[in-house]
Amino acid sequence: QVQLVESGGGLVQAGGSLRLSCAASGSFFSINTMGWYRQAPGKQRELVAHITSGGTTNYADSGKGRFTISRDNAKNSVYLQMNSLKAEDTAVYYCNADVNTYLRREYNYWGQGTQVTVSL
C-alpha cells in the first residue's frame, strides 16, 4: 500500500554530479527515517545516508564530504545530491523509509532502485 519511487539515476563521468529523488505514495500517517542504500555487483547492500523526520543526518564514510541527503516532508520525498562521483560509486541506489500507519505501526519499505553508473 506504500510505494517508494526513485528517479534521477543515470550515467555520469567521474567528477560529475547526480541528484536522486524518492517520493512516497499510498496510505500512511507519517514517515520517520528515510535513507539511501546502494548495492554494487557482487557486494552487499550498504548504507549511504539517512535522515530523520527532524532533519538529523548520518552518512557512511564513503560519501562524507561528497553526498548530501535532504527531505521535503510536504512532498513525502527524500533526495540525495551526489558530487565528485567516483567509479566506485557505481551501484543500484535504493530508497528506504520507515513509515507509520494510522494505527502507529511502523513498516519498512524499499524502492525498486535506480542505477547509477560512473564512468572513468
Side-chain angles (χ1 to χ4, degrees), residues 28-73:
F28 53 86
F29 177 75
S30 63
I31 303 175
N32 296 324
T33 299
M34 302 185 80
W36 290 94
Y37 293 73
R38 69 186 185 186
Q39 187 167 24
K43 297 184 178 180
Q44 287 193 289
R45 190 170 299 185
E46 64 179 17
L47 171 72
V48 177
H50 61 77
I51 182 169
T52 69
S53 60
T56 300
T57 61
N58 284 282
Y59 297 89
D61 289 340
S62 60
K64 287 182 179 178
R66 300 186 298 123
F67 296 174
T68 302
I69 189 170
S70 61
R71 65 190 289 167
D72 186 337
N73 292 331

Side-chain angles (χ1 to χ4, degrees), residues 2 19 51 53 71 76 83 85 91 98 103 110-112 118:
V2 177
R19 180 177 171 84
I51 182 169
S53 60
R71 65 190 289 167
N76 296 317
N83 299 325
L85 284 163
D98 291 323
L103 294 177
W110 291 94
Q112 290 295 110
V118 183

Side-chain angles (χ1 to χ4, degrees), residues 3-6 22 45 92-95 110-115:
Q3 292 183 324
L4 302 176
V5 180
E6 303 101 332
C22 172
R45 190 170 299 185
V92 177
Y93 284 70
Y94 296 91
C95 179
W110 291 94
Q112 290 295 110
T114 184
Q115 177 70 48

Side-chain angles (χ1 to χ4, degrees), residues 72-87:
D72 186 337
N73 292 331
K75 296 181 178 180
N76 296 317
S77 298
V78 63
Y79 310 93
L80 184 69
Q81 178 68 45
M82 303 187 291
N83 299 325
S84 302
L85 284 163
K86 306 173 181 179

